[in-house]
Amino acid sequence: MRIKAQFKIERADILNFNFDIAAEGITAIFGVSGCGKTSLLRAIAGLEKHNESTLQVGDDVWQDENVFLPPHQRSIGFVFQEASLFEHLNVKGNIEYGFKRITAESKKIPLDKVISLLGLQSLLERKPAFLSGGERQRVEIARALAASPNLLLMDEPLASLDQERKDELFPYIEALNKEMNIPILYVSHSNEEIGRLADQLLLIEDAVIKASGPISELLTRSDLSLAHRRQAESLIFATAEKYDEGFQLNFLHTDLGTFVVPGKELNKGKRLRLRLAAQDISITLEAQNDTSILNIFPAKVDELYSENNAQLTVRLLINNLPVLAKITLKSADNLKLEKGKAVFAQIKSVAVLA
Amino acid sequence: MFTSADLTALFLTLKLAFVTTLILLIIGTPLAWFLARSRWRYKFFLEALVALPLVLPPTVLGFYLLLMLGTNGPLGALMQSIGAEPLAFSFTGLVIGSVIYSMPFVIQPLQDAFNNIGRRPLEAAATLGASPLDRFFTIALPLARQGFLTALVLGFAHTLGEFGVVLMIGGNIPGETKVLSIAIYEHVETLEYANAHLLSASLVLLSFLMLIAVYALNGRFKVVRL
């Protein structure tokens, strides 16, 4: 489903958000605090009306010069940052609110499926006042889903939760993405959340949509600020393949080659994401055998750019996939790195996101 | 014990308070909703107007109502021209006066209650497919129910204690305009202290019981503000 939008949002400054994306899976709207992420999401929902703006979702025009569909006529679900549950209704009443208001033929998702997907069976009779923060957010998500929306909008749904609650919620959001086939627009400024959840990014910078595309590509593009951060990183998709009991090592299949990661056994076939911090990747000219590092891949230097006088970021291509490495200027000089040079990338540590 | 005249006054007072509160809830709910939700620049004029009866001496209010409703006033003349009874010195006139007199005690708690709901639940309901009217009835009204309880009791209790306005526009017609406070005043004037005591004590008890009900049921009770 394509989303075509041209928003002119007037605040103290003027935001011009123009984009045309194929909304599939989770699209993260990413940018620093105050850049207008939430305004954009609210404009898409119709909660804020801006002049000189247009919005088309799939085949439906939601806004142009002549049309402005109010939010209750748009097929959306909206999950707010802080609780917006109806305090006078119990969990069941909340979840049924939107479900009751759609026509029978648009009821694509049965209520019990929503309830079991978000693990709310035992909470149905409770009033919101008696729910924990994580439970409240789960009910919010369930309530939005139950109305079978064509598009799910989530405004920093995890921002108000502590780390433990966040970890508890990630699997639910991943599951809903996998099982529901509803495109999600997900506002966030958290590296952790987008690294873990986003399939593609809509990047807001300097009051415009700076770029959009697959997350692993945008993280490593040298013309975008993401690749210039101190904690610049690359993202790799992986599948658990086999496990070595003796050494407690997981073998993960990726498009770069096989990664070896220590730890508890991961379920075979499980889809994972690997986060490679640019700081943790070093470069050698020869394949080294006498090293403690397990993950070494042949690579090609694609691009070199300096952050300051002492440091360089090297964009490597491993099997044509981009990976960033941060090294010192001195090392680059010693190794005589230049575009096209064949090298080896030594990956010291890998964070498994799952 | 109560004389039959006193009982008549008591029932008239309760009837007046009941009718007044009912009318105020009907016209006050949309007005309070508007005051709570509207971003109209000049709505403070309306808010000041609603609060006016809080500061005016009831006699001032009564005086102008008398001019309006009397046979020479615009409303009074209108009533006469269509062949209806004049409004001054009638129960209907008292109701009109009471509605104005008790208005802030109903509007303000309702406005506060609607304000306290905030935008979030209403926005959430909109994204779930509820039209504005649907949102008002299924979200705003139930979430504001404590405000309604407060408005109901304050409006009722305040009308029970009305004196100045009645004195000006109601007079002293048994069964029509002679309410409790007037009856008490008359008993005192004629030195019938025992009767005055009985009626006064009943009013104290009744008002106190109603306020107890509000405080007990509603932890976040707010006193009417200016």
Side-chain angles (χ1 to χ4, degrees):
Chain A
M1 187 175 72
R2 290 206 83 78
I3 301 180
K4 291 183 203 173
Q6 282 191 305
F7 284 112
K8 185 177 172 195
I9 299 175
E10 297 192 33
R11 313 187 297 184
D13 50 347
I14 295 178
L15 310 173
N16 282 300
F17 292 157
N18 303 336
F19 58 90
D20 180 351
I21 55 167
E24 272 156 28
I26 300 182
T27 304
I29 301 175
F30 187 68
V32 294
S33 293
C35 71
K37 302 184 293 287
T38 296
S39 297
L40 173 58
L41 204 68
R42 291 173 60 83
I44 294 172
L47 292 171
E48 283 173 16
K49 187 175 175 180
H50 301 282
N51 296 328
E52 300 172 54
S53 300
T54 61
L55 173 63
Q56 189 179 344
V57 177
D59 296 327
D60 304 323
V61 175
W62 286 2
Q63 183 177 358
D64 63 18
E65 311 89 77
N66 310 312
V67 180
F68 180 83
L69 281 192
H72 65 274
Q73 291 172 0
R74 302 183 181 198
S75 178
I76 48 167
F78 201 109
V79 179
F80 294 87
Q81 181 174 351
E82 78 278 14
S84 65
L85 292 180
F86 306 135
E87 300 288 332
H88 61 297
L89 301 175
N90 62 16
V91 169
K92 190 158 181 280
N94 269 278
I95 295 174
E96 283 174 349
Y97 191 88
F99 184 77
K100 282 182 191 159
R101 283 168 174 73
I102 53 175
T103 55
E105 61 266 27
S106 41
K107 287 181 177 154
K108 288 172 284 191
I109 313 169
L111 269 191
D112 4 330
K113 186 171 180 197
V114 173
I115 290 164
S116 66
L117 187 71
L118 286 141
L120 296 171
Q121 296 90 334
S122 59
L123 302 175
L124 291 177
E125 301 303 322
R126 287 230 200 130
K127 283 284 179 73
F130 300 99
L131 298 174
S132 72
E135 288 167 346
R136 292 179 75 101
Q137 256 354 47
R138 267 153 60 197
V139 177
E140 291 239 7
I141 295 170
R143 183 177 69 177
L145 272 184
S148 297
N150 289 336
L151 179 63
L152 187 58
L153 307 170
M154 303 179 96
D155 184 12
E156 309 211 31
L158 305 181
S160 60
L161 303 177
D162 57 41
Q163 190 59 45
E164 220 169 301
R165 296 285 154 277
K166 269 185 205 173
D167 290 339
E168 178 189 305
L169 238 81
F170 276 129
Y172 290 109
I173 299 178
E174 284 162 349
L176 97 96
N177 179 34
K178 241 176 264 158
E179 294 187 25
M180 293 294 180
N181 199 25
I182 298 173
I184 299 174
L185 293 185
Y186 188 103
V187 162
S188 179
H189 66 262
S190 149
N191 282 325
E192 185 199 2
E193 287 173 36
I194 65 155
R196 178 128 184 208
L197 297 172
D199 299 310
Q200 54 176 348
L201 288 187
L202 202 56
L203 189 66
I204 300 180
E205 237 173 76
D206 306 324
V208 296
I209 302 287
K210 189 83 169 208
S212 64
I215 179 167
S216 40
E217 186 192 314
L218 262 60
L219 283 174
T220 56
R221 256 172 62 177
S222 62
D223 60 328
L224 300 176
S225 65
L226 290 172
H228 293 266
R229 295 172 303 171
R230 202 154 50 81
Q231 68 286 43
E233 62 195 30
S234 319
L235 203 66
I236 308 294
F237 295 89
T239 316
E241 219 169 33
K242 62 175 188 183
Y243 189 67
D244 183 324
E245 290 276 357
F247 290 115
Q248 306 219 347
L249 287 176
N250 284 293
F251 290 79
L252 311 176
H253 174 80
T254 78
D255 290 341
L256 271 56
T258 300
F259 270 76
V260 186
V261 179
K264 281 198 201 123
E265 181 170 6
L266 296 162
N267 289 338
K268 199 178 268 179
K270 189 177 164 67
R271 298 278 296 152
L272 309 157
R273 288 155 175 242
L274 305 180
R275 184 160 59 198
L276 314 180
Q279 308 267 24
D280 292 339
I281 299 181
S282 55
I283 296 173
T284 59
L285 293 179
E286 306 287 333
Q288 287 188 298
N289 297 318
D290 51 349
T291 167
S292 63
I293 296 174
L294 293 171
N295 295 304
I296 301 177
F297 300 94
K300 207 158 66 172
V301 176
D302 182 51
E303 209 178 341
L304 294 156
Y305 49 92
S306 72
E307 302 303 335
N308 52 47
N309 294 330
Q311 273 215 312
L312 269 182
T313 301
V314 185
R315 188 176 197 263
L316 298 168
L317 290 178
I318 305 176
N319 220 356
N320 271 327
L321 290 172
V323 171
L324 297 181
K326 270 193 197 299
I327 58 172
T328 60
L329 195 60
K330 171 82 175 145
S331 320
D333 197 48
N334 286 350
L335 298 175
K336 301 198 168 47
L337 293 186
E338 56 185 20
K339 186 174 164 70
K341 190 165 177 124
V343 293
F344 289 87
Q346 304 198 117
I347 299 166
K348 253 175 286 179
S349 74
V350 175
V352 177
L353 308 176
Chain B
M1 272 317 292
F2 291 112
T3 64
S4 75
D6 285 348
L7 279 179
T8 307
L10 180 64
F11 285 122
L12 183 72
T13 308
L14 291 175
K15 182 176 148 197
L16 178 67
F18 179 78
V19 173
T20 301
T21 310
L22 191 70
I23 291 175
L24 273 175
L25 284 178
I26 292 169
I27 61 173
T29 304
L31 181 56
W33 178 248
F34 172 79
L35 290 175
R37 301 282 301 171
S38 164
R39 291 188 213 166
W40 182 44
R41 268 174 82 179
Y42 299 107
K43 76 172 180 188
F44 59 87
F45 276 114
L46 216 53
E47 286 178 306
L49 200 64
V50 168
L52 208 52
L54 286 175
V55 289
L56 283 181
T59 42
V60 170
L61 205 62
F63 174 61
Y64 282 115
L65 278 169
L66 184 64
L67 293 185
M68 292 268 290
L69 305 179
T71 41
N72 298 324
L75 265 179
L78 182 75
M79 293 306 278
Q80 268 195 326
S81 70
I82 60 170
E85 295 288 311
L87 291 171
F89 307 107
S90 73
F91 182 73
T92 314
L94 277 198
V95 170
I96 293 174
S98 306
V99 163
I100 295 172
Y101 177 64
S102 296
M103 185 168 292
F105 291 81
V106 172
I107 302 277
Q108 291 191 355
L110 291 183
Q111 191 186 339
D112 279 345
F114 287 142
N115 270 331
N116 285 338
I117 296 173
R119 288 185 176 272
R120 273 286 175 277
L122 295 161
E123 287 184 344
T127 64
L128 291 167
S131 67
L133 203 64
D134 188 359
R135 302 200 287 270
F136 177 76
F137 283 109
T138 59
I139 305 297
L141 283 192
L143 285 177
R145 60 185 184 276
Q146 292 192 318
F148 274 92
L149 181 70
T150 308
L152 184 95
V153 172
L154 283 184
F156 194 87
H158 191 245
T159 309
L160 282 188
E162 185 178 336
F163 178 71
V165 178
V166 183
L167 200 65
M168 298 296 282
I169 63 166
N172 192 4
I173 308 164
E176 179 75 17
T177 63
K178 186 176 177 179
V179 295
L180 216 53
S181 55
I182 301 285
I184 293 167
Y185 181 69
E186 204 177 68
H187 283 312
V188 174
E189 286 281 278
T190 53
L191 300 177
E192 296 164 344
Y193 279 21
N195 300 58
H197 255 316
L198 195 59
L199 287 183
S200 299
S202 318
L203 202 55
V204 169
L205 193 68
L206 190 60
S207 304
F208 189 49
L209 285 178
M210 282 194 296
L211 290 179
I212 282 179
V214 172
Y215 279 97
L217 291 171
N218 183 354
R220 294 172 301 159
F221 182 82
K222 268 194 189 155
V223 179
V224 169
R225 66 179 168 16
L226 246 187

